[in-house]
Amino acid sequence: MKKGMSYLWLILVAMFMYVPVLVLAFYSFTDSTTIGAVRGFSMQNYVTLFTLDELKSMIAGTLLLAVGAALIASLLGTLGAVGAFYSGAFSRKVIETANRVPVVNADVVTAFSICILLIVVFGIEKDSYIPLVIGHVVLCTPFVYLAVIPRLKQMDSGLYEAAMDLGASPFQALYKVVIPQLIPGIVSGFLLSITLSLDDYFISTYTKPATFDTISTYVVNATKGAQTEIKTALWALSTVIFLIVILAVVLMNAASAGPVKKKEVSAYESREKN
């Protein structure tokens, strides 16, 4: 009975999370202009999505921003995690506490803070992309840190010192010994950063130039009076993003499961030989 209730609860939670997305995906393949009325099946929404110059430029700009911010955040988050891991107890505690602040803090507060610091204090022009990029890096870097730290804790802490004892310089020990151990965490943080950047609305709204739109800001503005064909094309865009995320998660799980299976096979072969 308890097992059946557990499965039922999992099914209800999954339905709550995925049914709205699946409904949106279904209507993206129809001629309907509103949710609730199915007229006929069509690929016109996807044709509009990939042919309308306004949508193509918006998607390209959003992806460029997301990838660029994710690369910078991955570098800063990884270096911050490595520095904190090899620091003393007090310094590590300070870094961990400082890293939690952007995670817990509301995005709107971060957005206002960046605007005040960069635009008011440093005098950077509002139409510059610098506040937008910095805002997304500030948003993403703590999550890269949180993705890398567990990999460092699983790693043998003596590898770095052992590499230097064998003649490697500090940079060589970091680059050739430590970083390869952190690749899964770095990749996870990078992909999570891309997702966070694509999803962000408040930081993008308050820091972006007036002529630039991300997917999130464009979607919000589109619901306030855009053409019907653009609104329905955004259904197709949501479906494409959802499918890409599913594919990325499947590939990540497959990649992480590969080393585990190899270790299990090696352990089994060792037992057989013994």
Side-chain angles (χ1 to χ4, degrees):
M1 185 65 179
K2 289 183 179 180
K3 193 172 183 180
M5 292 298 295
S6 299
Y7 284 133
L8 179 60
W9 176 250
L10 289 175
I11 292 172
L12 291 175
V13 172
M15 290 177 62
F16 180 79
M17 293 173 60
Y18 294 110
V19 166
V21 180
L22 295 177
V23 170
L24 189 65
F26 171 78
Y27 278 95
S28 70
F29 291 99
T30 68
D31 288 330
S32 302
T33 57
T34 56
I35 302 295
V38 179
R39 296 181 179 178
F41 291 97
S42 172
M43 296 294 293
Q44 184 57 42
N45 290 331
Y46 292 88
V47 173
T48 303
L49 176 64
F50 293 109
T51 57
L52 196 64
D53 291 336
E54 180 181 351
L55 293 176
K56 289 194 297 182
S57 61
M58 179 269 294
I59 294 171
T62 303
L63 291 177
L64 182 62
L65 171 65
V67 173
L71 287 173
I72 299 173
S74 297
L75 176 63
L76 296 178
T78 301
L79 294 179
V82 172
F85 182 75
Y86 287 104
S87 297
F90 177 76
S91 299
R92 186 185 308 119
K93 193 67 176 177
V94 171
I95 295 173
E96 289 178 350
T97 302
N99 185 77
R100 292 193 187 100
V101 174
V103 176
V104 179
N105 198 20
D107 287 353
V108 66
V109 177
T110 302
F112 279 134
S113 302
I114 292 172
C115 287
I116 293 173
L117 177 64
L118 298 180
I119 298 176
V120 178
V121 177
F122 290 102
I124 297 177
E125 295 182 2
K126 181 65 171 65
D127 290 335
S128 171
Y129 287 92
I130 294 176
L132 177 62
V133 174
I134 292 178
H136 280 243
V137 171
V138 171
L139 172 69
C140 299
T141 300
F143 292 92
V144 178
Y145 178 96
L146 294 174
V148 174
I149 277 292
R151 301 295 303 186
L152 281 165
K153 292 181 178 179
Q154 295 172 6
M155 185 185 69
D156 186 352
S157 59
L159 288 176
Y160 181 76
E161 290 80 3
M164 290 196 296
D165 289 341
L166 293 173
S169 65
F171 177 77
Q172 288 176 328
L174 175 65
Y175 177 72
K176 295 184 177 181
V177 177
V178 177
I179 296 298
Q181 303 288 326
L182 307 180
I183 292 298
I186 296 173
V187 172
S188 298
F190 174 76
L191 295 177
L192 181 59
S193 297
I194 291 179
T195 303
L196 290 169
S197 179
L198 292 175
D199 181 65
D200 176 73
Y201 173 74
F202 287 105
I203 293 177
S204 299
T205 298
Y206 290 106
T207 59
K208 73 179 183 67
T211 57
F212 180 80
D213 265 317
T214 63
I215 292 176
S216 58
T217 60
Y218 187 90
V219 168
V220 172
N221 294 331
T223 59
K224 299 178 181 179
Q227 300 176 6
T228 300
E229 67 171 355
I230 293 180
K231 290 182 180 179
T232 55
L234 294 176
W235 299 350
L237 176 60
S238 301
T239 304
V240 171
I241 294 175
F242 181 67
L243 293 176
I244 291 175
V245 169
I246 290 178
L247 180 61
V249 170
V250 170
L251 292 177
M252 287 177 58
N253 289 338
S256 61
V260 175
K261 290 182 179 179
K262 290 181 180 179
K263 290 180 181 179
E264 291 177 352
V265 171
S266 299
Y268 176 76
E269 290 177 348
S270 299
R271 289 197 300 268
E272 289 295 318
K273 291 179 180 179
N274 295 331

